[in-house]
Amino acid sequence: MHGPSSPGWLLVALCTATGTYCLLRMRSAVEEQRRAAGGEALMGFGMAAMAVPATVAAPPRWALIAYVVVFGGAAVRTLWAARSGGHHLHHLVGAFAMAYMAAAMVSSPGHHGHNGIAPVTGALLLYFAMYVLWSGARLVPVAATAGAGGARLVGWGDRQELARACRLSMAIAMLAMLLTL
């Protein structure tokens, strides 16, 4: 990632923590949640690797090409999964954004941000900004209803509010990374 190193290291820490929690979520008893958590863990760790400041360790060309292949493959896999429901579309956009950023870094290393915002970058910025606002609003607590049934214990892998918080943090990180593109 280009730009100052402090925000880059903060993104590395945020994305690594998110990826680690997503690995914990893979212990869920619900198969769909495990599958989503696996994709989100891949995203979190991939974003952490891409966020390492270029002044510390500029990724070699082969690593960027590997990112394009891995995240392009993840986008194709998610596109296939999207046939069964629209809830996979956010993962599709995220995987595409990662492949797009890696391809942009391969095609013009060291020249990011000097030619204005490309239309694809602008569309991705708009999407992730809207997603951050939408998912942030969903995290606002709703007053508990009186007389609600007994709460059952939920494992860490099944806590939907934590999963939403992870998606929100990755979307914020994606915005920051796209801004440096």
Side-chain angles (χ1 to χ4, degrees):
M1 187 173 112
H2 297 278
S5 63
S6 294
W9 286 118
L10 290 172
L11 284 174
V12 169
L14 174 70
C15 294
T16 300
T18 301
T20 302
Y21 176 70
C22 290
L23 285 178
L24 292 174
R25 284 183 38 228
M26 289 181 68
R27 298 185 321 185
S28 171
V30 180
E31 182 181 348
E32 181 64 31
Q33 289 179 12
R34 284 193 311 267
R35 196 178 356 229
E40 290 166 2
L42 172 69
M43 254 335 203
F45 291 127
M47 289 172 67
M50 285 182 78
V52 171
T55 57
V56 174
R61 183 176 173 83
W62 65 264
L64 294 173
I65 292 170
Y67 290 156
V68 172
V69 170
V70 167
F71 288 105
V76 169
R77 183 181 181 282
T78 307
L79 181 62
W80 185 257
R83 296 174 306 122
S84 65
H87 60 277
H88 295 283
L89 294 178
H90 174 69
H91 292 144
L92 174 64
V93 174
F96 171 77
M98 290 293 288
Y100 170 74
M101 285 190 294
M105 292 169 67
V106 166
S107 66
S108 62
H111 297 105
H112 306 294
H114 299 293
N115 298 329
I117 295 178
V120 174
T121 305
L124 289 170
L125 282 168
L126 181 63
Y127 172 80
F128 283 105
M130 297 305 293
Y131 185 83
V132 164
L133 293 173
W134 176 75
S135 62
R138 289 181 61 197
L139 284 176
V140 174
V142 178
T145 58
R152 66 178 185 92
L153 292 177
V154 177
W156 283 101
D158 297 322
R159 303 277 309 261
Q160 289 303 309
E161 70 278 8
L162 292 176
R164 287 183 187 132
C166 281
R167 290 183 196 113
L168 173 62
S169 65
M170 284 195 291
I172 291 169
M174 188 69 78
L175 269 172
M177 292 172 69
L178 284 165
L179 285 172
T180 65
L181 193 59

